[in-house]
Amino acid sequence: AKRFLVKADIPVFALEPVINSDTEELATRIRATLASANMCGREERSILSTAPTMLKEIVMVTRSALDETEYSGIKWSLAGVMLPLFNLSVSDTNKKALIEIGCVSVLLSLAQKF
């Protein structure tokens, strides 16, 4: 079912307005970004390929979860942010973007911690 939803661009239509909104709270935008990464982050031309600001937010949330601190008023779980990050890292387009925004240093910190 997920494959059909992604092919029909349902996650894009549902989440893009929230991700790109100037009026939504940052925490809401982060949740929408994580949901989008779970649904279609592996796709080469996913919605997140065009939202580098929100990719950076995922890295910031991951750092916060690793440090066990709050980000945007929420204490994010490491498990809850690692799956979306993994899904994003499958796409070659996203790999480049994740490297550019500093994801590698966060992942190295994670590896050192565990």
Side-chain angles (χ1 to χ4, degrees):
K2 177 182 166 184
R3 185 171 28 149
F4 295 115
L5 286 172
V6 171
K7 272 189 162 182
D9 283 336
I10 300 300
V12 172
F13 293 125
L15 299 171
E16 186 175 31
V18 177
I19 291 170
N20 293 322
S21 172
D22 291 333
T23 59
E24 292 289 339
E25 283 187 31
L26 180 59
T28 302
R29 293 175 61 215
I30 291 170
R31 286 186 182 106
T33 302
L34 293 172
S36 179
N38 279 331
M39 291 292 292
C40 56
R42 295 175 181 223
E43 303 297 316
E44 280 301 323
R45 298 181 193 270
S46 76
I47 179 180
L48 296 175
S49 299
T50 61
T53 302
M54 293 315 296
L55 285 176
K56 189 168 188 130
E57 292 298 335
I58 289 179
V59 173
M60 299 298 291
V61 166
T62 304
R63 167 67 71 194
S64 172
L66 180 61
D67 295 340
E68 299 178 7
T69 59
E70 285 188 5
Y71 185 78
S72 190
I74 297 172
K75 192 168 183 182
W76 303 89
S77 75
L78 196 54
V81 297
M82 289 308 296
L83 179 60
L85 191 57
F86 168 77
N87 285 332
L88 287 168
S89 70
V90 173
S91 157
D92 288 336
T93 305
N94 290 338
K95 284 177 191 172
K96 292 175 190 172
L98 290 169
I99 289 169
E100 289 173 6
I101 60 175
C103 186
V104 174
S105 66
V106 174
L107 294 176
L108 288 173
S109 297
L110 177 67
Q112 288 175 337
K113 185 172 182 174
F114 294 99

